[in-house]
């Protein structure tokens, strides 16, 4: 069962720094509210009543713990390490996103906020936010780039059915990064009654640490389940990294287990050499965006550049600051998987295990197919299956020239 | 004494309020910026705030966002903006110029290189919107070395303790954000501005400029009554966006607009 506590170790420091990364780079109007949020979060993190309510919601509403599934057939075919899948796709709303939105929404309620806002790219975080807002009777406004709205019409309708207002964002590249800018603008304007639920481990302090803490339920469960089912810790962890919340959720409880190798998989798009990708840790450099210092995709003048990935959830020019720190410190390794490799893994897992993965998670799976054959048969890899692939069947069909 | 300090001293002696217009450098085209700066001086600008375009202007409303986007169509970079100030300074030696923008372009150029180039160009101050004092230590040190004022924001959500903290690190003037919101908002409450500026002045000798929600002559006059200078951004950027060319007639229209603001704040 769930641990009745959340981790909050030495990093970040009190101003949200992970080494040179993270921090709080926002206009002055948000500094007070971010401090207030930090104080509230720190207080409730130690409040047994809050933690009990969170556990109860995760258990009965989200459906946790999610299984750790041994993909025997797929492991056998690859002929190397045993692959276990952490089944975040089986959560309510079909992805890991809800672990965080439940936590933040409960916090919003405690802080007396009546209005919830969120940004969304593919729509998964928007749906997870609209869902908990409905559950708690809170007003909900979701900002979404107008380009993304066109690509993800089903999720837009889901959010509307859940009672949320979806606001199209027409500025900049009209995608996730612009939706985040617009949500920040809303927050700064409606700060008194509004709680901003950020969907990933980026943004100004305390978001990277708060979202991490809510997502570590993934890694804490996986650790316990692996010990129970296999009798030992895994040899490697693999997770996809856009902003990086599912990845940090799996990795964090294993950081001090030095024998566990950690791999984060970025979106290689058409290939790193083409420049059409979303892999700042592999091919970007440090800079400041959306309230934190981290690796970014930017041009020589410091303008943020447009990214490309087959998977909308990884299509983001930044990454959580803790990942930047884990990269520089060498504790985690960050690799890239191209669109076509991810698509192949999507098909493989669907046909071989009867599990249709999200295109985001398919990046992690594709890296497993590279790593597993190089490992021994008694070694263990845990792949975070962060979401289910139903939302992506339209994209896959279009790519393959099929009209549904 | 810095050009900004001089400017505010002059204003004080003449018992006048400062007028600080804002434009985005490179908007709508790089060639417009120099004539626009001169047009603003002709219209009564005491200081000029020159926006450095950024792809993700998180603190700006739609009008200035669009100005930034227009400038970025022509790839207007931080280096380009500094070059524009070099051109401006060939004719104008007295009007202080403040660069206003976001941190990332400065990070990419490098703090030292930025400060050196800006100082040589005749830039007097910099306001980096997403750089609160907590994160500004390193840049502040370098700016001091090159005699550039680093200007900081104080907002309605800044408590007195923070006001004191910000006043200590800031130089040039303090920029009070008049409302909870982005640039160009329509939520100005002059009464609360007056209250806040009075509090700020109790523990700082720096002049206080007020910006973010001033939309017309009336609001400019009302705000000017309670502070040392008013910043007018979005209405000017809106006009600039509608200019079809950089002819004398076009520039004259900007001068005329600013003159009405000048008159409004001078009669108070």
């Amino acid at each position: 069962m769930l641990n009745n506590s959340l981790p909050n170790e030495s990093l970040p420091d009190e101003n949200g720094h992970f080494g040179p990364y993270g921090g709080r780079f926002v206009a002055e109007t948000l500094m007070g509210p971010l401090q207030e949020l930090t104080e509230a979060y720190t207080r409730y993190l130690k409040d047994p009543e809050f933690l009990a309510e969170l556990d109860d919601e995760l258990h009965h509403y989200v459906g946790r713990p999610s299984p750790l599934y041994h993909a025997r057939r797929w492991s056998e075919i690859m002929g190397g390490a045993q692959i276990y899948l952490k089944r975040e796709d089986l959560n309510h709303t079909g992805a890991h996103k809800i672990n965080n939105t439940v936590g933040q929404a409960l916090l919003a309620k405690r802080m007396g906020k009546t209005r919830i806002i969120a940004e969304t790219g593919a729509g998964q975080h928007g749906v997870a936010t609209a869902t908990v807002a409905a559950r708690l009777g809170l007003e909900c406004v979701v900002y979404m780039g107008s380009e993304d709205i066109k690509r993800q019409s089903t999720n837009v309708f889901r959010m509307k059915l859940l009672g949320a207002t979806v606001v199209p964002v027409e500025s900049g590249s009209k995608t996730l990064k612009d939706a985040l800018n617009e949500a920040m603008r809303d927050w700064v304007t409606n700060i008194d009654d509004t709680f901003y639920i950020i969907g990933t481990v980026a943004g100004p302090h305390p978001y990277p640490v708060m979202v991490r803490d809510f997502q570590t339920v993934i890694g804490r469960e996986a650790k316990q389940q692996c010990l129970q089912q296999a009798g030992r810790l895994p040899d490697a962890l693999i997770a996809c990294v856009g902003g990086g919340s599912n990845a940090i959720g799996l990795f964090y409880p294993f950081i001090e287990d030095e024998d566990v190798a950690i791999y984060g998989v970025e979106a290689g798009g058409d290939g790193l050499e083409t420049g059409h990708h979303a892999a700042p840790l592999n091919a970007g450099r440090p800079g400041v965006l959306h309230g934190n210092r981290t690796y970014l995709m930017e041009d020589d003048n410091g303008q943020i550049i447009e990214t490309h990935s087959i998977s909308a959830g990884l299509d983001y020019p930044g990454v959580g600051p803790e990942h930047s720190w884990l990269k520089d410190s060498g504790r985690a390794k960050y690799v890239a998987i191209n669109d076509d490799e991810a698509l192949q893994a999507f098909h493989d897992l669907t046909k071989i295990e009867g599990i249709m993965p999200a295109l985001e998670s398919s990046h992690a799976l594709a890296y497993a197919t590279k790593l597993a054959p190089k490992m021994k048969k008694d070694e263990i890899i845990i792949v975070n299956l962060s979401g289910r692939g139903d939302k992506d069947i339209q994209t896959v069909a279009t790519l393959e020239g099929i009209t549904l | 004494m810095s050009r900004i300090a001089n400017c505010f001293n002059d204003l004080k002696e003449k018992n006048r309020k400062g007028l600080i217009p804002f434009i985005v450098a490179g908007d709508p085209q790089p060639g417009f910026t120099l004539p626009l700066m001169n047009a603003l001086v002709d219209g009564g600008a005491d200081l000029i705030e020159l926006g450095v375009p950024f792809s993700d202007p998180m603190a700006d409303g739609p009008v200035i966002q669009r100005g930034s986007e227009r400038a970025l169509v022509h790839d207007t970079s931080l280096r380009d903006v500094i070059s524009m100030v070099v051109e401006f300074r060939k004719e104008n030696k007295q009007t202080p110029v403040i660069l206003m923008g976001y941190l990332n372009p400065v990070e990419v150029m490098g703090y030292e290189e930025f400060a050196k180039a800006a100082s040589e160009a005749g830039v007097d101050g910099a306001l980096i919107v997403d750089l609160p004092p907590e994160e500004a230590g390193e840049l502040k040190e370098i700016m001091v070395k090159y005699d550039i004022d680093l200007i900081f924001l104080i907002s309605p959500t800044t408590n007195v303790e923070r006001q004191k903290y910000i006043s200590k690190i800031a130089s040039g003037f303090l920029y009070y954000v008049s409302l909870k919101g982005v640039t160009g908002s329509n939520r100005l409450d002059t009464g609360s501005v007056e209250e806040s500026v009075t509090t700020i002045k109790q523990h700082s000798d720096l002049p206080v400029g007020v910006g973010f929600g001033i939309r017309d002559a009336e609001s400019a006059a009302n705000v000017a009554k309670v502070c040392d200078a008013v910043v007018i951004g979005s209405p000017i950027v809106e006009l600039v966006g509608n200019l079809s060319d950089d002819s004398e007639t076009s520039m004259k229209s900007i001068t005329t607009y600013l003159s009405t603001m000048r008159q409004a704040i001078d009669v108070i």
Side-chain angles (χ1 to χ4, degrees):
Chain A
M1 282 309 297
L2 300 165
N3 294 336
N4 204 6
S5 67
L6 294 164
N8 200 354
E9 303 292 336
S10 56
L11 282 180
D13 71 12
E14 64 178 68
N15 290 318
H17 297 109
F18 302 86
Y21 303 109
R24 222 178 240 168
F25 294 88
V26 293
E28 175 58 25
T29 314
L30 288 178
M31 291 300 284
L34 285 167
Q35 191 52 39
E36 188 192 333
L37 175 60
T38 307
E39 280 159 19
Y41 174 61
T42 313
R43 186 164 77 246
Y44 287 115
L45 190 68
K46 294 177 198 136
D47 175 3
E49 230 173 86
F50 176 81
L51 293 171
E53 190 179 353
L54 176 60
D55 270 2
D56 192 64
E57 288 291 307
L58 289 175
H59 185 51
H60 296 287
Y61 188 64
V62 177
R64 302 204 72 89
S66 68
L68 183 70
Y69 167 73
H70 185 184
R72 285 194 180 80
R73 226 162 85 79
W74 198 43
S75 305
E76 190 61 33
I77 289 169
M78 276 186 280
Q82 299 307 305
I83 297 174
Y84 286 75
L85 306 175
K86 182 59 176 163
R87 298 290 307 275
E88 293 300 300
D89 60 317
L90 295 177
N91 292 340
H92 181 38
T93 70
H96 71 290
K97 291 288 184 191
I98 198 156
N99 301 330
N100 167 51
T101 58
V102 163
Q104 287 198 50
L106 289 179
L107 188 58
K109 200 120 191 179
R110 290 281 200 290
M111 291 175 73
K113 307 289 183 183
T114 54
R115 181 172 174 271
I116 296 288
I117 58 168
E119 83 295 338
T120 196
Q124 292 306 102
H125 172 60
V127 168
T129 303
T131 299
V132 294
R135 161 84 180 80
L136 296 174
L138 299 166
E139 185 192 348
C140 180
V141 176
V142 179
Y143 290 92
M144 190 168 181
S146 58
E147 281 302 314
D148 288 335
I149 285 180
K150 275 187 234 157
R151 294 191 281 195
Q152 302 285 343
S153 54
T154 317
N155 270 343
V156 174
F157 190 53
R158 283 171 83 188
M159 287 184 268
K160 287 182 179 165
L161 287 173
L162 288 160
T165 305
V166 180
V167 181
V169 177
E170 300 287 353
S171 57
S173 59
K174 305 178 174 63
T175 60
L176 175 58
K177 77 174 180 71
D178 310 285
L180 212 152
N181 293 335
E182 205 56 36
M184 281 282 183
R185 291 175 189 127
D186 177 310
W187 197 35
V188 89
T189 309
N190 300 293
I191 215 116
D192 297 331
D193 68 345
T194 297
F195 190 104
Y196 178 16
I197 299 187
I198 293 186
T200 192
V201 284
H205 180 60
Y207 284 100
V209 63
M210 179 168 67
V211 177
R212 173 191 82 189
D213 288 349
F214 287 134
Q215 289 293 0
T216 52
V217 66
I218 302 171
R220 283 183 283 120
E221 284 178 8
K223 197 168 187 177
Q224 213 169 21
Q225 290 164 324
C226 192
L227 287 169
Q228 273 166 9
Q229 294 173 31
R232 63 185 192 84
L233 289 179
D235 299 284
L237 307 173
I238 305 177
C240 63
V241 178
S245 68
N246 90 82
I248 211 79
L250 176 64
F251 298 168
Y252 190 70
F254 292 92
I255 299 265
E256 286 173 7
D257 301 308
E258 286 171 14
D259 294 335
V260 180
I262 296 179
Y263 298 94
V265 185
E266 292 194 301
D270 296 335
L272 293 184
E273 69 288 354
T274 64
H276 300 140
H277 57 78
L281 290 168
N282 278 275
R285 57 183 170 181
V288 172
L289 177 70
H290 293 152
N292 63 114
R293 182 178 284 121
T294 191
Y295 279 85
L296 297 176
M297 304 274 294
E298 59 182 8
D299 69 13
D300 291 339
N301 295 325
Q303 308 297 345
I304 306 308
I305 56 179
E306 285 182 37
T307 51
H308 165 79
S309 170
I310 189 177
S311 110
L314 302 182
D315 212 347
Y316 178 65
V319 63
E322 192 163 9
H323 287 292
S324 295
W325 169 246
L326 289 172
K327 173 194 157 79
D328 284 8
S329 69
R331 178 63 189 96
K333 194 172 175 222
Y334 292 89
V335 297
I337 283 290
N338 298 349
D339 285 353
D340 53 353
E341 297 169 315
L343 194 58
Q344 187 60 48
F346 170 89
H347 284 301
D348 287 351
L349 197 76
T350 304
K351 288 208 172 121
I352 296 164
E353 294 286 352
I355 298 172
M356 190 179 291
L359 284 173
E360 290 80 4
S361 322
S362 299
H363 286 71
L365 295 162
Y367 189 67
T369 68
K370 293 187 172 186
L371 188 65
K374 294 185 220 157
M375 293 169 66
K376 294 188 206 119
K377 285 203 172 183
D378 60 352
E379 290 186 302
I380 296 170
I381 298 174
I382 296 179
V383 180
N384 199 6
L385 189 54
S386 55
R388 68 181 181 219
D390 309 52
K391 69 179 176 61
D392 293 315
I393 53 175
Q394 187 69 53
T395 307
V396 172
T398 308
L399 280 168
E400 297 177 355
I402 298 159
T403 313
L404 296 178
Chain B
M1 190 182 282
S2 78
R3 213 175 280 151
I4 294 175
N6 258 333
C7 173
F8 276 103
N9 278 347
D10 268 9
L11 286 165
K12 204 173 176 183
E13 272 169 28
K14 291 176 188 149
N15 203 19
R16 288 177 78 193
K17 302 296 177 152
L19 178 59
I20 313 180
F22 168 95
I23 55 171
V24 179
D27 170 29
Q29 287 177 40
F32 281 54
T33 303
L34 180 61
L36 277 171
M37 289 173 82
N38 289 322
L40 293 173
V41 173
D42 293 344
D46 296 300
L47 300 86
I48 292 177
E49 235 181 65
L50 198 53
V52 180
F54 182 51
S55 53
D56 295 80
M58 231 164 57
D60 285 302
V63 170
I64 293 177
Q65 286 171 45
R66 282 195 293 270
S68 213
E69 283 173 19
R70 287 191 295 267
L72 286 176
V73 168
H74 306 282
D75 288 326
T76 307
S77 69
L78 178 54
R79 284 168 206 279
D80 294 337
V81 179
I82 291 171
S83 305
M84 292 169 186
V85 179
V86 171
E87 290 307 307
F88 176 71
R89 278 281 172 257
K90 283 180 181 165
E91 301 288 330
N92 184 313
K93 310 284 185 201
Q94 72 284 347
T95 309
V97 174
I98 297 151
L99 300 187
M100 181 168 181
Y102 294 79
L103 184 58
N104 202 47
V106 179
E107 290 244 329
V108 167
M109 188 168 175
Y111 289 173
E112 182 96 26
E113 197 180 335
F114 162 70
K116 187 169 187 284
S119 164
E120 283 167 9
V123 169
D124 304 286
L127 198 178
I128 315 286
V129 182
D130 56 350
L131 185 70
E134 283 86 346
E135 303 283 357
E138 190 188 339
L139 182 62
K140 171 72 188 174
E141 227 171 84
I142 294 171
M143 297 298 257
V144 167
K145 183 172 143 191
Y146 288 96
D147 276 330
I148 299 178
D149 286 316
L150 197 54
I151 292 151
F152 286 93
L153 301 171
I154 289 179
S155 88
T157 59
T158 310
N159 62 30
V160 173
E161 202 180 315
R162 265 189 82 74
Q163 286 182 8
K164 289 182 189 166
Y165 169 56
I166 294 168
S167 306
K168 266 185 208 146
I169 187 175
S171 63
F173 66 96
L174 290 165
Y175 187 127
Y176 182 71
V177 176
S178 67
L179 44 76
K180 293 175 191 167
V182 293
T183 54
S185 293
N186 189 14
R187 300 157 66 105
L188 185 68
D189 171 0
T190 315
S192 76
V193 172
E194 179 170 16
E195 204 177 303
S196 301
V197 174
T198 310
T199 316
I200 294 168
K201 284 190 166 290
Q202 279 166 8
H203 40 253
S204 174
D205 295 332
L206 288 172
V208 179
V210 176
F212 266 53
I214 297 159
R215 305 170 65 82
D216 48 34
E218 192 191 348
S219 52
N222 287 335
V223 169
K225 280 179 202 157
V226 302
C227 65
D228 302 300
V230 294
V231 183
I232 301 176
S234 297
I236 300 175
V237 176
E238 182 97 63
L239 290 176
V240 169
N242 292 331
L243 293 181
S244 51
D245 54 49
D246 59 350
S247 66
E248 233 168 86
T249 324
S250 294
M251 293 304 137
K252 190 95 184 132
S253 71
I254 301 296
T255 300
T256 307
Y257 172 79
L258 201 66
S259 305
T260 60
M261 297 296 136
R262 177 84 260 170
Q263 283 155 17
I265 67 169
D266 282 349
V267 295
I268 61 168

